Amino acid sequence: EVLREQKKSQEALAALRKAASKYPDSGDGQRAAYLAAELLATEIGDFDTALKELPKVSGAFSGQANALLQKLQGKALSIESERTFRSGEKPSVKLAVRNIETVKFRLWVIDLQDYFEKKASTSGLQNLEVSVIAPDREWEYKINDYKRFQERKLDVEIPGNGPGAYIVGASAAVKRENP
């Protein structure tokens, strides 16, 4: 743990592997095996080795190992906007993605005046169901330096349409086979 906090990943990995091999049937040994696999996946980036080691973890840490294995192998995608952008600024969203090479974005322009007149407030805007409405704009964003199993956190610029209110959605782009 101390080596990990000091950003000495390789040394921490060696110490964890040593403990796991010395005490393979104990709780501490299984904890060390799990932490070694987690370190491989989260800090060292050796996903192939981590994927081989995680199923070997047993005992009290098998649940955590299973959860991490599923997380690494599954697709994940989330976007969020951390703030409101001013006129003249280029809007962007924070994108977190795993096991997705291309993200399909959709943008809907919101008429805030119309919404406010109907609701007498802008609250609830985040719950607006836009999936049944054709988006005003669609585009695909290819993840540069894509690496399977690796989570990427990126700032993605949203093509501007000028001042206004927008809803932005994202999904994994579906590859189409040529007939």
Side-chain angles (χ1 to χ4, degrees), residues 41-108:
T42 59
E43 294 178 31
I44 296 174
D46 185 351
F47 300 105
D48 292 333
T49 305
L51 291 170
K52 290 175 189 169
E53 296 299 318
L54 284 166
K56 297 176 186 176
V57 176
S58 62
F61 291 89
S62 64
Q64 287 176 278
N66 232 0
L68 180 57
L69 187 61
Q70 288 178 5
K71 179 180 174 183
L72 290 173
Q73 292 175 327
K75 290 184 178 189
L77 170 69
S78 68
I79 63 168
E80 69 177 75
S81 177
E82 295 182 332
R83 64 187 186 88
T84 302
F85 294 88
R86 297 180 188 166
S87 297
E89 286 185 302
K90 294 189 181 228
S92 64
V93 293
K94 300 282 184 190
L95 172 70
V97 63
R98 182 190 307 273
N99 296 330
I100 298 172
E101 293 181 62
T102 305
V103 177
K104 182 175 186 175
F105 282 95
R106 292 177 180 87
L107 179 136
W108 292 266

Side-chain angles (χ1 to χ4, degrees), residues 19-38:
S21 66
K22 190 172 182 178
Y23 308 104
D25 298 325
S26 74
D28 287 340
Q30 288 303 311
R31 179 175 182 267
Y34 169 73
L35 290 174
E38 180 190 45

Side-chain angles (χ1 to χ4, degrees), residues 139-155:
W139 69 98
E140 289 190 353
Y141 180 84
K142 186 160 177 54
I143 306 299
N144 291 328
D145 302 321
Y146 168 81
K147 187 174 180 184
R148 192 165 179 225
F149 309 119
Q150 180 181 34
E151 181 181 48
R152 298 288 309 276
K153 294 185 178 188
L154 309 161
D155 285 320

Side-chain angles (χ1 to χ4, degrees), residues 1-13 15-16 31 35 39 43:
E1 304 270 334
V2 173
L3 290 171
R4 199 170 181 177
E5 289 172 11
Q6 294 174 351
K7 304 290 183 201
K8 295 182 179 179
S9 300
Q10 292 297 334
E11 292 92 337
L13 179 61
L16 289 166
R31 179 175 182 267
L35 290 174
L39 184 66
E43 294 178 31

